[in-house]
Amino acid sequence: MSYDDGNVFAKILRGEIPCSKVYEDDHALAFHDISAQTPVHVLVIPKGPYVSLDDFTEKAPETLVAGFFRAVGETARRLGVVENGYRMLTNTGRDANQEVMHFHVHIFAGRPLGGMIKRG
Ligand code: AMP
């Protein structure tokens, strides 16, 4: 799938739509999910046109891949969720119900998160 820069996260990166920012550096932007599913629910997105994890790791330069994942860790530390724990998740494609076609990881935290995945 090719990248469509009309997606909502591309608009956030261009400053066309506001976000509740948690962290930003040259490689990534982290902001609160608009429809939080846990007490802490933050999204981290790379600054570049990548649809998914596989697209990102295939096409992005090494500095961006490394910088992005460092930004995910930095975001978790700034959120203060490291001690009690958190879950990082990325949805890719139809079977995972990916809604926004700009690569992003979710950070869930703030309560016990239960089993890793729903059965059925
Ligand atoms: P996914 O299903 O992994 O693609 O998740 C997309 C996430 O983006 C959902 O959890 C949405 O609630 C979230 N989302 C959609 N639009 C916005 C927005 N404008 N600001 C923050 N989060 C958003």
Side-chain angles (χ1 to χ4, degrees):
M1 177 186 288
S2 60
Y3 185 81
D4 175 0
D5 69 4
N7 75 75
V8 67
F9 293 168
K11 291 178 181 173
I12 286 173
L13 279 177
R14 290 195 297 268
E16 296 166 11
I17 290 179
C19 72
S20 177
K21 192 193 308 185
V22 173
Y23 175 72
E24 181 172 19
D25 63 21
D26 289 346
H27 306 291
L29 173 67
F31 52 95
H32 291 282
D33 194 292
I34 204 167
S35 181
Q37 297 189 33
T38 48
V40 176
H41 183 177
V42 165
L43 303 170
V44 190
I45 65 175
K47 292 186 172 178
Y50 307 101
V51 176
S52 60
L53 175 69
D54 51 281
D55 187 42
F56 180 62
T57 53
E58 182 185 7
K59 296 176 186 160
E62 306 291 335
T63 49
L64 182 56
V65 175
F68 173 74
F69 283 102
R70 286 190 192 283
V72 175
E74 179 64 21
T75 300
R77 289 188 290 275
R78 288 184 184 220
L79 288 166
V81 299
V82 173
E83 187 176 343
N84 283 355
Y86 62 96
R87 181 169 292 159
M88 187 186 97
L89 178 148
T90 185
N91 292 314
T92 303
R94 185 193 58 202
D95 282 358
N97 293 327
Q98 182 179 1
E99 291 172 13
V100 179
M101 296 300 162
H102 180 113
F103 172 48
H104 54 283
V105 302
H106 298 252
I107 295 175
F108 297 107
R111 64 164 168 78
L113 296 168
M116 192 158 62
I117 196 161
K118 270 191 204 161
R119 291 178 195 277

